[in-house]
Amino acid sequence: MQILGTVLAFVVAIGILVLVHESGHFGMAKWMGVKVLRFSIGFGPALITRRFGKDQTEYVIAALPLGGYVKMLGEEGGEAMAAEDRPRAFDALPPGKRFLIALAGPAANLLFAVVAYAGVAWLGIPGLAPIIGDVRPDSLAAQAGLVPGERVAAVAGQRVHSWEDLRLDLIGAAMGRSATRIDIISAAGVRQSHWLPFGKLPADAIGPAFLSHGVGIEPYLPVRVGAVQPGSPAQRAGLQVGDRILAANGQRIGTWEAFLRLVEAHPGQVLLLQVATVSGQTRALTVIPEGVRNAQGKTVGRIGIALAPVPKDLIVIEHRGFFSGLLYGTERTWRMSVMTVEMMLRMVQGFISPDNISGPITIAEFAGQSAQAGLAPFLAFLGLVSISLGILNLLPIPILDGGHLFFYTLEMIRGVPLSTSVMQKSQQIGIVLLMMLMSLAFYNDIMRLLTP
């Protein structure tokens, strides 16, 4: 049932984003007076076909939802057409107008991101409180003097509202590879400043686990038991739903991830747990994790518990008004767009690993998770993917919109279009490059599935 929900969320998300993108091309083409023959959401066999309007444009929903297209009269060149339709052909337009039609698709994605993020602001921006739960020894965070229990107030002078804000701010700062000030409020309520030495950051540190592996911090998330598997080591040890694990083998436990690492590292070994019950009593329990093999064939420990929902006092929600929300959507879209471009450049330079490239499997997984979390998280997901789609299509790769923009720019400079043979060879190169990028994305998706 969960898989069905994930697939449905993915199809809805991709359908919305493709509709937005192609509507940009469609709307600009119609405004320029071009005759549009077909507007298709998806590729392959048509599932639903309808014709509307004076031009009897064919509107199609096709079987494969990974994309879409707008087919315009004269777009392919050498087409047979009635004499009265010739002025309305795409290739009859000057290169400047063709440039605008190609640009309209990515522009529509970026505009949609503004609206999506504004919607998140209007509904309320939910997030996890930016409280540090764990600092890894010998990490950049440890070198900077950060300690568990501190709440991050600002990064480089910019206010931090949630853990997600902190992650984005630190990724942006890390790409600059310079020492960055981070302001915290201690458990005693004292505001202090620390400096993260990002100049020492390894070349491949920026990725999905950037904060935990690159910076060395994890969010404060108390380990409260939400479920106990029958017959598991946890049940035999006496763990109950509602219990909070305070320490293990004398080590303070402030995050779920830290506890998982500890359990995984002790298969078949005794762990002495300090537990606080629902009634507030503290007791000591002994549990022996059972050894199981992970995807890499390594034996790791498991005790058979699930984490309880995040406590309400750790969830922060920020509501904004209409105009303030639009401003937030614009700023967020600009910031994420700049960060996306910078990450691409850093990836080419070798500073960021290409493992960060995601494909349809990962996108589908996040679509399902965000849809299950609620409308605001789903809108935030749509905004992020819409920005990625818009920026990707602006890359000067033949077959993408950016490739067309490059050719139209050359035509405006030269005064004549490129030859047919050059265009065909360029398109072939573009297809090969796109296939290589898709192959890498699928490979990364599969490797993520195989990694516990």
Side-chain angles (χ1 to χ4, degrees):
M1 197 68 182
Q2 184 177 0
I3 295 178
L4 180 61
T6 297
V7 172
L8 180 61
F10 174 71
V11 171
V12 170
I14 294 299
I16 291 173
L17 297 178
V18 170
L19 176 63
V20 167
H21 183 90
E22 300 304 333
S23 292
H25 293 310
F26 176 82
M28 185 60 72
K30 296 289 283 186
W31 191 51
M32 295 291 182
V34 177
K35 183 175 182 178
V36 178
L37 304 178
R38 178 179 298 168
F39 183 112
S40 178
I41 302 300
F43 299 108
L47 300 179
I48 301 174
T49 302
R50 295 289 186 274
R51 291 183 181 274
F52 299 105
K54 180 183 66 175
D55 295 330
Q56 284 295 287
T57 301
E58 185 181 26
Y59 297 87
V60 177
I61 297 179
L64 300 177
L66 298 177
Y69 61 94
V70 172
K71 184 178 180 181
M72 294 170 279
L73 181 68
E75 188 176 9
E76 298 176 356
E79 300 175 38
M81 64 185 75
E84 61 270 18
D85 284 338
R86 183 61 203 165
R88 301 185 62 202
F90 178 78
D91 58 357
L93 294 177
K97 290 188 175 182
R98 282 180 272 140
F99 183 98
L100 292 177
I101 292 175
L103 181 63
N109 281 124
L110 297 178
L111 182 60
F112 174 80
V114 171
V115 176
Y117 281 126
V120 173
W122 296 329
L123 291 170
I125 308 167
L128 186 64
I131 302 172
I132 299 173
D134 188 45
V135 177
R136 294 196 176 194
D138 302 322
S139 64
L140 295 185
Q143 295 175 37
L146 295 175
V147 297
E150 295 178 330
R151 186 183 187 112
V152 180
V155 172
Q158 183 167 338
R159 175 179 172 267
V160 170
H161 170 69
S162 66
W163 192 263
E164 177 63 13
D165 287 345
L166 176 63
R167 187 181 73 86
L168 292 176
D169 287 344
L170 290 183
I171 287 177
M175 287 191 290
R177 305 212 69 183
S178 60
T180 300
R181 192 186 80 193
I182 179 169
D183 297 331
I184 62 92
I185 299 174
S186 68
V190 180
R191 190 179 181 105
Q192 300 172 333
S193 294
H194 301 271
W195 290 86
L196 285 169
F198 280 133
K200 301 178 181 180
L201 194 68
D204 60 349
I206 297 180
F210 169 67
L211 288 187
S212 59
H213 292 89
V215 180
I217 58 175
E218 290 173 347
Y220 173 63
L221 192 59
V223 183
R224 191 177 298 277
V225 179
V228 178
Q229 184 178 353
S232 65
Q235 187 185 54
R236 292 194 294 270
L239 274 173
Q240 300 177 3
V241 172
D243 284 347
R244 180 182 168 190
I245 300 173
L246 304 176
N249 286 356
Q251 177 180 332
R252 174 188 171 277
I253 300 297
T255 74
W256 173 250
E257 292 294 332
F259 182 66
L260 284 183
R261 286 196 302 270
L262 189 66
V263 171
E264 289 178 350
H266 292 81
Q269 302 176 43
V270 174
L271 287 179
L272 180 62
L273 305 182
Q274 184 180 0
V275 177
T277 65
V278 177
S279 61
Q281 296 179 335
T282 301
R283 56 182 179 144
L285 298 175
T286 298
V287 63
I288 302 177
E290 61 182 358
V292 297
R293 289 190 177 275
N294 62 15
Q296 284 72 42
K298 180 182 177 182
T299 300
V300 297
R302 294 283 189 273
I303 65 171
I305 65 171
L307 183 67
V310 178
K312 291 184 178 180
D313 60 348
L314 291 181
I315 298 177
V316 290
I317 299 180
E318 183 180 13
H319 293 275
R320 299 200 179 201
F322 182 78
F323 292 107
S324 178
L326 284 176
L327 180 60
Y328 170 84
T330 303
E331 292 175 342
R332 187 77 167 191
T333 299
W334 171 254
R335 183 179 175 194
M336 295 303 297
S337 299
V338 171
M339 186 176 293
T340 300
V341 173
E342 190 170 359
M343 287 191 73
M344 289 179 177
L345 293 175
R346 293 292 189 179
M347 201 173 294
V348 173
Q349 294 171 350
F351 179 59
I352 296 179
S353 172
D355 293 346
N356 290 292
I357 298 175
S358 299
I361 298 175
T362 299
I363 294 173
E365 183 180 357
F366 280 109
Q369 292 173 356
S370 61
Q372 188 175 16
L375 180 57
F378 189 61
L379 283 175
F381 165 79
L382 288 177
L384 178 61
V385 179
S386 191
I387 290 171
S388 300
L389 181 61
I391 298 297
L392 176 65
N393 269 280
L394 287 174
L395 294 178
I397 298 176
I399 206 174
L400 295 180
D401 292 328
H404 295 302
L405 294 174
F406 178 72
F407 292 142
Y408 299 148
T409 301
L410 285 180
E411 185 177 346
M412 284 186 280
I413 295 173
R414 298 172 70 241
V416 292
L418 296 175
S419 66
T420 303
S421 61
V422 170
M423 293 289 289
Q424 289 176 345
K425 290 178 181 178
S426 298
Q427 296 286 355
Q428 292 170 355
I429 293 173
I431 292 174
V432 172
L433 291 174
L434 201 57
M435 291 299 294
M436 291 172 61
L437 182 62
M438 291 178 63
S439 298
L440 176 60
F442 272 111
Y443 172 78
N444 287 343
D445 280 355
I446 293 171
M447 292 306 297
R448 289 188 188 103
L449 289 176
L450 296 178
T451 302

